[in-house]
Amino acid sequence: QLQLQESGPGLVKPSETLSLTCTVSGDSISNSDYHWGWIRQPPGKGLEWIGSMYYYSGNTYYNASLKSRVTISLDTSKNQVSLKVTSMTAADTAVYFCVRVLGPTGPDFWGQGTLVTVSS
Amino acid sequence: QAVVTQEPSLTVSPGGTVTLTCGSSIGTVTSGHYPYWFQQKPGQAPRTLIYDTNNKHPWTPARFSGSLLGGKGALTLSGAQPEDEADYYCLLSYGAAGPVFGGGTKLTVL
C-alpha cells in the first residue's frame, strides 16, 4: 500500500530556508514509471504546482514562478523526496503535499500534507 | 503563464447530473494537455479522480467521467451523492512550461 509521509518544521522565520522530506513506502522512487514532486496550498486557497523530479534522468521540472528558490532532490538509499525553498516569506505559508507523478503531467497519489507557517 | 479557468461554484441535486469544465486562457484544451481532475474534501488531501482526459483510478467512483467538451476539459458527475460535495480542481499540462491548476469549483449537493 503506497504511503507518502511529509515531515519538517511547522514554523519557519521569514528569509529562512524551508526543508521538507517525504518518506515513501509501498513503492520505490527509482520506479521508472513515475516522477516525484511537491504541490502546495495556501490556507483557504487553491493548489499550486511546485515541481517534480525523475530519478532516471535526474531532470527536474519547476514552476517558473518558484524556480529560483526551489530545489527538489531524491535519496534512493532512504526512499525519500526532499524539497528546499529559500528566502521564505508569508506568501509561502501553505500546506505542502508530496506527490507521485505520472510522467511530468500530473499526480496520481498524494501525501496527507504538512502545514508550514512563515512567521517571526 | 497560462491561466486555467473553472466555475467557482456549482450546485447539483441528489441523483442529478452536473458537468464541471476546465478552460485554458491560451486556447482550446486538447488531449495533449493531459487534463487531470482532483476531489478535495475539507481538511483532507486531494485525491486524483481522472488523469489524461478520461482515465480513472481504481478508487474513482463509476459515476465520475472525464472528457473534452466544447474546447474545454470536462468532469461529469452522473447520479450525484451527498458525499460528492467537495472542491474539484483540474490540472492542465503545458509541456516545458509545466502543469497549471485551475482555481477550483466548489460543488454543492443540495
Side-chain angles (χ1 to χ4, degrees):
Chain A
Q1 179 182 355
L2 178 61
Q3 289 189 323
L4 309 178
Q5 182 63 58
E6 303 91 345
S7 60
L11 181 64
V12 176
K13 290 183 169 56
S15 80
E16 289 188 341
T17 295
L18 170 67
S19 294
L20 294 178
T21 298
C22 171
T23 300
V24 178
S25 57
D27 195 2
S28 170
I29 63 171
S30 60
N31 185 331
S32 60
D33 291 335
Y34 300 103
H35 298 215
W36 301 86
W38 294 88
I39 291 166
R40 70 181 184 179
Q41 184 174 37
K45 297 187 178 181
L47 300 166
E48 181 179 33
W49 184 267
I50 298 174
S52 65
M53 185 172 184
Y54 185 50
Y55 170 74
Y56 277 95
S57 65
N59 286 345
T60 51
Y61 307 86
Y62 296 129
N63 183 327
S65 67
L66 298 170
K67 187 173 183 177
S68 64
R69 299 194 295 127
V70 168
T71 303
I72 293 174
S73 59
L74 304 178
D75 185 339
T76 54
S77 67
K78 297 179 181 178
N79 215 36
Q80 290 180 335
V81 187
S82 295
L83 172 70
K84 291 190 189 299
V85 184
T86 62
S87 305
M88 293 282 282
T89 71
D92 295 311
T93 292
V95 176
Y96 286 75
F97 297 101
C98 175
V99 292
R100 188 176 74 173
V101 183
L102 286 169
T105 58
D108 73 329
F109 200 85
W110 300 64
Q112 284 303 300
T114 186
L115 174 63
V116 176
T117 301
V118 182
S119 175
S120 56
Chain B
Q1 187 181 23
V3 175
V4 177
T5 57
Q6 297 184 244
E7 298 85 1
S9 64
L10 291 170
T11 300
V12 62
S13 300
T17 296
V18 64
T19 297
L20 289 66
T21 67
C22 180
S24 174
S25 64
I26 57 176
T28 300
V29 174
T30 70
S31 59
H33 290 99
Y34 305 98
Y36 280 66
W37 290 93
F38 310 94
Q39 178 191 64
Q40 187 178 32
K41 297 182 179 180
Q44 296 183 15
R47 68 167 180 166
T48 305
L49 294 178
I50 301 289
Y51 65 98
D52 294 356
T53 305
N54 56 10
N55 293 283
K56 300 181 184 182
H57 287 295
W59 54 80
T60 304
R63 57 186 181 274
F64 288 96
S65 62
S67 65
L68 297 175
L69 192 65
K72 297 182 178 182
L75 176 70
T76 299
L77 171 57
S78 303
Q81 301 296 311
E83 60 265 31
D84 298 328
E85 187 161 295
D87 293 329
Y88 292 83
Y89 293 91
C90 70
L91 178 77
L92 299 178
S93 184
Y94 290 91
V100 179
F101 283 98
T105 296
K106 184 177 181 62
L107 181 66
T108 301
V109 181
L110 187 62

